[in-house]
Amino acid sequence: MTDRIEQLADQMTLDEQVAILSGEDFWSVPAIDRLGIGKLRVTDGPNGARGGGSLIGGVKSASFPVGIALGATWNIDLLKQVGVALADEVKSKGAHMLLAPTVNIHRSVTNGRNFECYSEDPILTAELASAYIAGLQSQGIGATIKHFAGNESEIERTTISSEIDERSLREIYLVPFEWAVKKAGTWGVMSSYNKLNGTFTSEHNWLLTTVLRDEWGYDGIVMSDWFGSHSTAETVNAGLDLEMPGPTRDRGNKLIDAVNAGTVSRATLRRRVVDMLTLMQRVGSLDDHRDFVEHANDRPEHRALIRRAGAEAAVLLKNNGILPLKGDGTIAVIGPNAKTAQIMGGGSAQLNAHYRISPWQGLINALGQERLRYAPGCTNHRFEPLLRGDLQVAYFDNERLEGAPVHIGTQEEAQAFWIGHVAEGKVDPMHFSARITGSFTPEVSGTHRVGIYAAGFAKVFVDGELIADAWTNWTKGRTFFEEGCDEVVGTVELQAGRAHQVVIEFATKDFATLGLAAFAAGIGLPLGDQAIAEAAALAATAETAIVCIGRSGEWDTEGSDLPSITLPGRQNELVAAIARANPNTIVVLQTGGPVEMDWIGSVAALLQAWYPGQEAGNAIADVLTGAAEPTGRLPQTFPARWSDNPTQSQDAEIYPGLDGKVRYEEGIFVGYRHYDRHGIKPLFPFGFGLGYTDFTLSDLQVDDTAFEADGAVTVTVTLTNSGARDGASVVQLYVCDDEASDPRPEKELKAFAKAWLKAGQSTQLTLRLDARAFAFFRPQSKHWLLENGSFTLRLGQSSDDLPLSASVTRATTLMLPV
C-alpha cells in the first residue's frame, strides 16, 4: 500500500468510499472526479476481450482457443504468450481488467462450461493459469481468476450449494486459485454464483478471508460474479470488495446505512476501499481519464498466435497411418461442422470474432478446392438455425406492445441479448416490448421447424399465423443462463423461393437472478435418411473422407449442462455410414469434452480439435496436412461410456443435484483418479495424444538428497525423438504414496514438461517436486502432511503409459502449513 492510496482513502467521503465498491454500470466502476480518481473498466474473457457490448454483435475482437483447448497444449510458455496478447485485446477495448482465466475443475463430463476450463487436474490447471495470469499482468492488465469456488456445473448454479469436504477443496478445487495468488500474484478473484457448504461464496468469510487473505496472503480484490451478490453487510464483512454489475442492488444507500448502524465497521469499509484503490493503481485506472473508445484491432501477430495455438491444441487420438494427408486424390468433406466454423463455446465467453475460418475453408486454403467435395450429411444444432436477414425492430415503452413505437431499429439476425442500454435509452431495459419483422425465403419446399426461446415472453408468426408460442405457457428452462425457457418449436409448410413474412413479438418478464432480456428465433428444414445416403455415396467416390462432427456453443455453454455425451442428432449414424463407404475415413471432432464413440473401431483416424478460435479451419488443416505437428494431449479423460464418469450415480444429489444441493461424494477421486480407483478403462486416458513421430524415454535419475530435510526431489530424464519428423512430446511425472494413512489416489500428476525436438534429437529434462507434491491435507489439524515411508515416482507420456519408475523414502513425517 502506498502513501497515495492511504491519503486518497482518508480524503474520500463515506458516499465516495461506498461508490467505488459497486459497479456504475455493467462494465465499470465509477470515477471520483473530486479526487481525480479515474473510472475502472473490465471486460469479459477468457478466450478474447469482448468489450462493453452485448453477448451478440458489438465491436469485433480476436477469438482465441477456448480453455480446454489451451489445456490440451500442456504448454506453459504458450499460455504466457496468450496472456500477453490478450492484454493487447483488453487495451483495444478501453478496459483495465479481463474477467479470466476460468479454472474450475472438470468434475463431470457434462458440465456445460468445461470448454472454458483447462483440465480435470489441479496441477495442470494451476500451471497453465499461472502462466496466463503472468502474461496478462506483465502488460499492466489485471487478471480476475474465477469462479471461487465450487462452480463445477451449470445446473441451478446461482442458488445451488456445492457440498465439498475441506480435504477435497484443498487438494483439488482450490489449488489453481492458491497458485494464482502465491505464484502468479493475481490482482483479481471473482466469487462464484453458488453456495459452498450452505453459504453463498460472495459472503463466505472462511473462503474470502480465512483462506484467501489470511492463509494465502492475497492482496488483490474480490469481485462478485454478475448479480452474484446477495447481501450488504455480509458480503463486505466476509471480504467481497466489489459488487458487480451496476447500478447496485446491495450497496449504495444500503451500505451507508449499514456503516451508520455499525453492522459494517469503518475499518472494514476502509480495507475494502484500499483494496480497490490499490487495484486501480496497479492497472493504471487511477489516473486514466481518457474517453472510452473501443477498437477492433485485427493484428497479424494475433492471427498467427491463434493459428499456432489452435493447431497445438489438437489431439490426435487415432491414426492408422492415413495422416498426415498424402497424395492428390479427391477428398469428401462431410458433416455439420464442415462448412460451419465452430470457434468458441456459449455464454459470457462469446464475442464477435474478426472472422471465422471453417474446416472447409481451411482445407481449400491448404489444398485448393479442386480436390474437395462436400455433403452436409446431417445436422447437429440444439436450436433451429437462426433466422438472418434485414429485420426491423419496433420498441415500445410498455410490456404490451401498445401505442406508437418509441424507437425503430434494425438487426441482421433474429436474436438479441438486451442488457443495460436498450433502444438508445428510450425504454426501461427490464420493462419494454418489441416487435421484430422480417422474412424468410426457403431454398426447398417442405415442412419447416420454427423455434423460439427467450428470457422474456415471445411468439413467432409466419404469414400471420402463430407458429411457436413461448408466451402463453412460459416455463423456465436451460437457456440464457437459466433465465430463459427451453426452445418451443412449431411446424409450418413453406414454399421454395417465396418470401414468407415472419413477425416475432417479445415482452420482458420478471427475472430470477440475472437482470437481462433476450430471445432467439430460427427456422430449419430437417435432414433425413437421404442426406446421410448422399453423403455416403459421395464418400464412396473419394480417396479420403473427412467427417467434421461434434457440438457447438449451443451445447457447450454457460448456463446449461449437457444432457449426455452422445453426439447430437444423427452424427453417429453419419460416421458409421461414411466409414462403411470409405475405409479411409478421418473424423475431426469439435466439442468441449468427450463423447461416446461406438464407431471408433471403424475409422482410420480421429482428431479432437475442440473450439480453437477464429483460425479454426486453418489450424485443423495445418494438422491434417502435416504443416503442423499434432502435439496436444488430453486434459480430460475420455470415458468409453457416460456411466463411467466420476459423477454418475443413482443418487441425484451427487449429480445433477437435489433439493438445492450437489454433493461431491467422490471427494478427491475426480478425473483419472476415479478411473484408477475403480479399475475402469477409459476410451482415451488423461494426458494421451499421438503424433506424427515417436518419442522414447530413458535414463531416469532421481536426486532425493534433500527429501528427508525439506521434501524436495529432482528428477531428470532423457527424451528422444526416435521418429523421422520433428515434433514434441509432454513428459508427465506422477507421484504415488505407497502406504498412506488416509485414502489417496493411485497416482497424481505433480510435474510435466513439453519439449520440441528435431528427428533423432535427444534432450535431458529436469522436473522438480517440492514437499507439497508428496503431501495430503489433514482437515482435523489444518495442515499438509508428508508422511514417512516410500513413494513411487512414475514417468511417461500419459496417465496410462508410465514406463519409468523410481522410489524415494523418508524416515520422518513433515507437517506443512496451509
Side-chain angles (χ1 to χ4, degrees):
M1 190 191 317
T2 66
D3 290 342
R4 183 186 180 195
I5 297 300
E6 291 275 10
Q7 291 166 6
L8 283 173
D10 291 336
Q11 291 168 6
M12 296 172 76
T13 66
L14 176 59
D15 285 7
E16 289 169 339
Q17 289 182 327
V18 167
I20 66 166
L21 301 184
S22 60
E24 177 181 51
D25 53 33
F26 222 75
W27 302 113
S28 68
V29 175
I32 306 297
D33 294 330
R34 185 181 70 86
L35 297 174
I37 297 172
K39 188 187 297 286
L40 172 74
R41 297 185 182 91
V42 304
T43 179
D44 252 329
N47 52 285
R50 186 175 64 248
S54 166
L55 297 187
I56 299 164
V59 177
K60 289 189 174 182
S61 305
S63 174
F64 285 73
V66 301
I68 196 171
L70 293 178
T73 71
W74 291 64
N75 188 334
I76 295 169
D77 291 339
L78 177 65
L79 268 287
K80 187 172 184 179
Q81 294 173 45
V82 169
V84 169
L86 285 171
D88 291 335
E89 292 295 314
V90 174
K91 291 174 184 177
S92 77
K93 299 302 183 286
H96 307 98
M97 293 192 78
L98 186 66
L99 306 181
T102 309
V103 298
N104 297 100
I105 299 297
H106 298 164
R107 176 185 177 238
S108 75
V109 294
T110 49
N111 178 21
R113 216 164 179 176
N114 275 349
F115 77 89
E116 196 176 321
C117 309
Y118 295 129
S119 169
E120 71 183 27
D121 183 80
I123 297 299
L124 176 57
T125 298
E127 287 275 22
L128 297 178
S130 295
Y132 179 107
I133 292 167
L136 191 66
Q137 294 189 169
S138 71
Q139 306 303 302
I141 296 298
T144 317
I145 193 169
K146 59 187 185 181
H147 304 89
F148 192 56
N151 179 195
E152 275 72 41
S153 125
E154 293 297 290
I155 297 172
E156 298 180 11
R157 65 181 182 145
T158 60
T159 57
I160 205 158
S161 177
S162 297
E163 304 291 303
I164 314 174
D165 67 274
E166 187 176 356
R167 183 183 174 194
S168 300
L169 281 167
R170 298 278 192 173
E171 294 189 22
I172 304 292
Y173 299 102
L174 296 185
V175 172
F177 298 97
E178 182 181 5
W179 281 40
V181 171
K182 292 181 176 179
K183 298 190 177 186
T186 186
W187 296 339
V189 171
M190 180 186 289
S191 62
S192 55
Y193 282 122
N194 54 279
K195 299 173 183 175
L196 178 64
N197 298 324
T199 301
F200 280 113
T201 62
S202 58
E203 54 193 56
H204 206 296
N205 188 75
W206 178 82
L207 191 66
L208 304 188
T209 294
T210 302
V211 173
L212 184 62
R213 290 186 169 92
D214 296 345
E215 294 177 358
W216 297 349
Y218 180 57
D219 64 356
I221 70 141
V222 181
M223 71 172 70
S224 72
D225 205 337
W226 267 227
F227 306 108
S229 168
H230 300 274
S231 61
T232 301
E234 293 86 346
T235 61
V236 176
N237 290 333
L240 187 76
D241 298 290
L242 177 61
E243 176 205 359
M244 287 297 288
T248 180
R249 293 184 185 181
D250 298 324
R251 298 195 173 180
N253 289 332
K254 291 181 181 179
L255 181 50
I256 292 171
D257 291 344
V259 173
N260 289 332
T263 54
V264 173
S265 71
R266 290 274 184 167
T268 297
L269 186 75
R270 191 179 189 280
R271 282 197 295 272
R272 304 285 87 84
V273 169
V274 166
D275 287 345
M276 287 298 298
L277 292 173
T278 301
L279 171 70
M280 292 174 174
Q281 186 174 60
R282 283 170 166 168
V283 300
S285 73
L286 201 60
D287 299 305
D288 187 354
H289 304 288
R290 298 170 298 167
D291 291 336
F292 174 63
V293 179
E294 296 190 3
H295 300 282
N297 291 345
D298 185 6
R299 298 174 180 237
E301 64 271 27
H302 290 180
R303 288 185 170 213
L305 176 60
I306 291 166
R307 182 168 180 167
R308 175 163 59 89
E312 191 170 340
V315 184
L316 185 62
L317 293 173
K318 182 177 181 180
N319 186 20
N320 287 348
I322 195 171
L323 291 176
L325 292 169
K326 307 170 186 69
D328 56 3
T330 58
I331 300 173
V333 184
I334 294 165
N337 285 359
K339 284 193 173 182
T340 301
Q342 303 294 1
I343 69 172
M344 67 183 94
S348 61
Q350 293 177 135
L351 50 78
N352 187 16
H354 291 303
Y355 55 87
R356 297 167 176 249
I357 306 296
S358 69
W360 170 258
Q361 186 60 52
L363 288 166
I364 289 175
N365 296 342
L367 303 172
Q369 192 165 348
E370 297 76 17
R371 296 177 56 189
L372 307 179
R373 308 290 184 270
Y374 167 73
C378 67
T379 62
N380 65 353
H381 52 252
R382 177 180 173 187
F383 308 116
E384 293 306 314
L386 202 61
L387 173 65
R388 302 180 189 275
D390 295 325
L391 304 175
Q392 184 186 81
V393 188
Y395 293 90
F396 301 84
D397 60 358
N398 58 73
E399 295 163 303
R400 301 173 300 281
L401 298 153
E402 290 179 352
V406 296
H407 179 70
I408 302 292
T410 60
Q411 293 181 190
E412 295 181 353
E413 53 190 23
Q415 67 172 340
F417 192 90
W418 289 299
I419 50 175
H421 195 71
V422 179
E424 297 186 357
K426 295 177 182 177
V427 299
D428 180 336
M430 295 314 304
H431 299 283
F432 72 94
S433 53
R435 181 177 288 114
I436 301 93
T437 305
S439 66
F440 175 72
T441 303
E443 297 180 0
V444 179
S445 298
T447 303
H448 286 66
R449 289 165 55 88
V450 179
I452 180 75
Y453 57 99
F457 301 114
K459 297 178 181 179
V460 184
F461 300 83
V462 178
D463 295 332
E465 180 183 354
L466 177 61
I467 304 300
D469 184 355
W471 190 308
T472 307
N473 296 303
W474 191 96
T475 303
K476 183 179 178 181
R478 299 177 301 132
T479 64
F480 295 120
F481 311 106
E482 295 188 312
E483 291 288 347
C485 62
D486 289 331
E487 187 181 37
V488 176
V489 177
T491 58
V492 62
E493 291 293 324
L494 300 179
Q495 297 177 12
R498 176 187 165 192
H500 295 268
Q501 185 193 53
V502 179
V503 175
I504 302 161
E505 294 183 347
F506 174 89
T508 57
K509 64 178 295 296
D510 292 340
F511 57 87
T513 302
L514 311 181
L516 59 91
F519 83 94
I523 302 177
L525 183 67
L527 295 179
D529 294 343
Q530 183 178 350
I532 294 179
E534 290 173 353
L538 179 68
T541 66
E543 179 179 300
T544 306
I546 299 176
V547 188
C548 301
I549 58 169
R551 298 192 295 253
S552 68
E554 292 180 345
W555 296 101
D556 290 300
T557 182
E558 180 180 356
S560 175
D561 274 12
L562 295 159
S564 71
I565 58 169
T566 301
L567 279 166
R570 301 183 68 179
Q571 293 181 97
N572 284 324
E573 295 175 63
L574 176 65
V575 175
I578 302 306
R580 286 193 298 268
N582 191 324
N584 297 324
T585 293
I586 300 162
V587 172
V588 175
L589 180 64
Q590 285 194 264
T591 60
V595 297
E596 294 175 345
M597 307 178 195
D598 289 341
W599 38 261
I600 187 63
S602 63
V603 301
L606 169 62
L607 183 71
Q608 170 58 262
W610 318 106
Y611 303 124
Q614 63 192 30
E615 286 280 340
N618 285 333
I620 289 168
D622 285 346
V623 176
L624 292 176
T625 61
E629 182 77 7
T631 65
R633 301 294 182 260
L634 287 182
Q636 185 183 44
T637 306
F638 276 31
R641 292 285 177 268
W642 183 27
S643 56
D644 292 341
N645 98 93
T647 59
Q648 196 69 23
S649 173
Q650 297 299 312
D651 185 346
E653 192 173 279
I654 294 174
Y655 184 84
L658 182 68
D659 297 331
K661 295 181 180 180
V662 58
R663 190 174 82 252
Y664 288 41
E665 183 72 15
E666 71 285 352
I668 60 173
F669 295 95
V670 296
Y672 61 88
R673 297 163 172 81
H674 161 82
Y675 298 93
D676 286 348
R677 185 188 195 193
H678 296 282
I680 300 171
K681 184 174 177 59
L683 183 62
F684 297 108
F686 174 78
F688 175 78
L690 304 172
Y692 295 151
T693 187
D694 297 309
F695 288 86
T696 57
L697 291 167
S698 61
D699 194 23
L700 173 63
Q701 299 180 38
V702 176
D703 179 359
D704 62 351
T705 54
F707 189 44
E708 186 68 40
D710 61 17
V713 172
T714 300
V715 176
T716 58
V717 66
T718 299
L719 176 70
T720 301
N721 182 345
S722 52
R725 284 176 55 108
D726 299 349
S729 184
V730 178
V731 177
Q732 303 163 36
L733 175 58
Y734 295 79
V735 172
C736 320
D737 189 340
D738 295 335
E739 189 176 349
S741 59
D742 281 8
R744 299 195 69 179
E746 179 181 305
K747 61 179 178 288
E748 297 177 274
L749 179 74
K750 293 299 179 181
F752 62 90
K754 188 169 192 175
W756 296 79
L757 299 175
K758 295 183 180 299
Q761 183 183 4
S762 295
T763 190
Q764 188 179 70
L765 300 175
T766 300
L767 301 170
R768 304 183 191 282
L769 302 174
D770 61 12
R772 273 279 294 269
F774 298 91
F776 64 93
F777 189 76
R778 271 279 175 85
Q780 305 91 332
S781 47
K782 304 297 182 186
H783 64 247
W784 293 86
L785 180 64
L786 171 49
E787 291 189 303
N788 62 321
S790 64
F791 297 82
T792 300
L793 309 181
R794 300 182 62 189
L795 195 139
Q797 297 178 77
S798 83
S799 64
D800 202 34
D801 175 24
L802 301 169
L804 302 183
S805 64
S807 182
V808 295
T809 303
R810 286 180 56 85
T812 60
T813 61
L814 181 64
M815 290 185 293
L816 308 170
V818 289

